[in-house]
Amino acid sequence: MDVQVQVDISVAPEEKHLAEMRSAANSLTDDRHSVRVSVPCDKPKSMIAAFTIPKAREVDVVDKSMRRFALFMQDYQNQTAWFPKKPRKRKTRKDGRLCR
């Protein structure tokens, strides 16, 4: 299951903040190689961690991630979590037309 967490902090992210973000994501993921941390260009006081977790109820994942990131992060202000969906393939009929 793919998860993305955005954490807003009160200062511009430094390497220590990125390390804290990675550490929090690593403590939740089922695959440490899936963890990606970035700073969006349009939000200079935010960081986004993208990673995978074992399949679970979304509400449980949000609750656990909120606690974990708040615990790990210095200068923490706000947090958002979401579950990006993989694009669905469009089905085609036997005659080659697209299904709706």
Short mmCIF file of all heavy atoms in Angstrom, two decimals, residues 4 12 14 21 26 31-32 35 42 46 62 64 74 76-77 88-89 92:
data_model
loop_
_atom_site.label_atom_id
_atom_site.label_comp_id
_atom_site.label_asym_id
_atom_site.label_seq_id
_atom_site.Cartn_x
_atom_site.Cartn_y
_atom_site.Cartn_z
N GLN A 4 1.71 8.62 1.34
CA GLN A 4 2.49 9.86 1.29
C GLN A 4 2.09 10.71 2.49
O GLN A 4 0.91 10.82 2.80
CB GLN A 4 2.24 10.61 -0.02
CG GLN A 4 2.86 9.90 -1.19
CD GLN A 4 2.86 10.74 -2.44
OE1 GLN A 4 2.57 11.93 -2.44
NE2 GLN A 4 3.20 10.11 -3.55
N ALA A 12 12.74 26.48 7.29
CA ALA A 12 13.12 25.78 6.06
C ALA A 12 13.82 24.47 6.44
O ALA A 12 14.64 24.46 7.36
CB ALA A 12 14.03 26.65 5.22
N GLU A 14 16.25 21.53 6.99
CA GLU A 14 17.69 21.30 6.96
C GLU A 14 17.92 19.80 6.87
O GLU A 14 16.96 19.02 6.95
CB GLU A 14 18.33 21.86 8.23
CG GLU A 14 18.15 23.36 8.40
CD GLU A 14 18.69 23.86 9.73
OE1 GLU A 14 19.36 23.09 10.45
OE2 GLU A 14 18.42 25.02 10.06
N MET A 21 12.66 12.86 8.99
CA MET A 21 11.57 12.42 8.11
C MET A 21 11.83 11.01 7.60
O MET A 21 10.95 10.15 7.62
CB MET A 21 11.45 13.42 6.95
CG MET A 21 10.23 13.30 6.13
SD MET A 21 8.83 14.04 6.98
CE MET A 21 7.70 14.18 5.62
N ASN A 26 10.99 5.21 7.74
CA ASN A 26 11.61 3.89 7.87
C ASN A 26 11.00 3.07 9.00
O ASN A 26 10.95 1.85 8.92
CB ASN A 26 13.12 4.02 8.09
CG ASN A 26 13.87 4.28 6.81
OD1 ASN A 26 13.47 3.86 5.73
ND2 ASN A 26 14.98 5.00 6.92
N ASP A 31 9.33 -1.78 3.40
CA ASP A 31 10.42 -1.85 2.44
C ASP A 31 11.22 -0.55 2.50
O ASP A 31 10.82 0.46 1.94
CB ASP A 31 9.86 -2.06 1.03
CG ASP A 31 10.94 -2.10 -0.05
OD1 ASP A 31 12.14 -2.16 0.30
OD2 ASP A 31 10.57 -2.06 -1.23
N ARG A 32 12.35 -0.58 3.17
CA ARG A 32 13.16 0.64 3.34
C ARG A 32 13.61 1.25 2.02
O ARG A 32 13.87 2.43 1.95
CB ARG A 32 14.37 0.35 4.23
CG ARG A 32 13.98 0.09 5.66
CD ARG A 32 15.19 -0.15 6.51
NE ARG A 32 14.79 -0.44 7.88
CZ ARG A 32 14.87 0.44 8.86
NH1 ARG A 32 15.36 1.63 8.64
NH2 ARG A 32 14.47 0.11 10.07
N VAL A 35 11.29 4.20 0.55
CA VAL A 35 11.19 5.51 1.21
C VAL A 35 11.85 6.59 0.35
O VAL A 35 13.00 6.48 -0.06
CB VAL A 35 11.85 5.49 2.61
CG1 VAL A 35 11.86 6.88 3.23
CG2 VAL A 35 11.15 4.49 3.51
N ASP A 42 7.18 24.49 -4.35
CA ASP A 42 6.18 25.51 -4.05
C ASP A 42 5.84 25.63 -2.56
O ASP A 42 5.08 26.49 -2.16
CB ASP A 42 4.91 25.25 -4.85
CG ASP A 42 4.29 23.90 -4.55
OD1 ASP A 42 5.01 22.98 -4.09
OD2 ASP A 42 3.07 23.74 -4.78
N SER A 46 7.92 22.62 3.87
CA SER A 46 7.25 21.32 3.93
C SER A 46 8.17 20.24 3.42
O SER A 46 9.09 20.51 2.64
CB SER A 46 5.98 21.33 3.08
OG SER A 46 5.04 22.23 3.57
N VAL A 62 -3.23 6.22 9.14
CA VAL A 62 -3.18 7.65 9.40
C VAL A 62 -2.88 7.90 10.88
O VAL A 62 -2.01 8.71 11.22
CB VAL A 62 -4.49 8.35 8.98
CG1 VAL A 62 -4.54 9.77 9.49
CG2 VAL A 62 -4.63 8.32 7.46
N LYS A 64 -1.41 5.95 13.11
CA LYS A 64 -0.04 5.56 13.45
C LYS A 64 0.98 6.53 12.86
O LYS A 64 1.93 6.92 13.53
CB LYS A 64 0.22 4.14 12.95
CG LYS A 64 1.50 3.54 13.44
CD LYS A 64 1.59 2.09 13.04
CE LYS A 64 2.84 1.44 13.60
NZ LYS A 64 2.93 0.02 13.27
N GLN A 74 11.38 17.62 14.71
CA GLN A 74 11.58 18.90 15.40
C GLN A 74 10.92 19.99 14.56
O GLN A 74 10.78 19.84 13.35
CB GLN A 74 13.07 19.20 15.50
CG GLN A 74 13.82 18.29 16.42
CD GLN A 74 15.29 18.67 16.47
OE1 GLN A 74 15.67 19.82 16.25
NE2 GLN A 74 16.13 17.70 16.75
N TYR A 76 7.95 20.77 14.26
CA TYR A 76 6.71 20.24 13.69
C TYR A 76 5.56 21.23 13.84
O TYR A 76 5.39 21.83 14.89
CB TYR A 76 6.38 18.93 14.41
CG TYR A 76 5.07 18.31 14.05
CD1 TYR A 76 4.99 17.40 13.01
CD2 TYR A 76 3.91 18.60 14.76
CE1 TYR A 76 3.79 16.81 12.68
CE2 TYR A 76 2.71 18.03 14.44
CZ TYR A 76 2.66 17.12 13.39
OH TYR A 76 1.47 16.53 13.06
N GLN A 77 4.76 21.39 12.78
CA GLN A 77 3.57 22.24 12.86
C GLN A 77 2.30 21.51 12.44
O GLN A 77 1.30 21.57 13.12
CB GLN A 77 3.74 23.49 12.00
CG GLN A 77 4.66 24.50 12.62
CD GLN A 77 4.55 25.85 11.93
OE1 GLN A 77 4.39 25.93 10.72
NE2 GLN A 77 4.60 26.90 12.72
N ARG A 88 -5.67 3.39 -13.18
CA ARG A 88 -6.32 2.18 -13.68
C ARG A 88 -6.16 2.10 -15.18
O ARG A 88 -6.21 3.10 -15.88
CB ARG A 88 -7.80 2.19 -13.33
CG ARG A 88 -8.02 2.05 -11.85
CD ARG A 88 -9.45 2.02 -11.43
NE ARG A 88 -10.44 1.99 -12.47
CZ ARG A 88 -11.74 2.00 -12.27
NH1 ARG A 88 -12.19 2.04 -11.05
NH2 ARG A 88 -12.59 1.97 -13.26
N LYS A 89 -5.97 0.88 -15.66
CA LYS A 89 -5.89 0.68 -17.10
C LYS A 89 -7.29 0.69 -17.67
O LYS A 89 -8.23 0.17 -17.07
CB LYS A 89 -5.22 -0.65 -17.42
CG LYS A 89 -3.76 -0.68 -17.05
CD LYS A 89 -3.14 -1.98 -17.45
CE LYS A 89 -1.68 -2.01 -17.09
NZ LYS A 89 -1.06 -3.28 -17.45
N THR A 92 -10.64 -2.61 -22.81
CA THR A 92 -11.17 -2.56 -24.17
C THR A 92 -12.02 -3.78 -24.43
O THR A 92 -11.81 -4.84 -23.83
CB THR A 92 -10.03 -2.50 -25.22
OG1 THR A 92 -9.18 -3.64 -25.05
CG2 THR A 92 -9.20 -1.24 -25.08
#
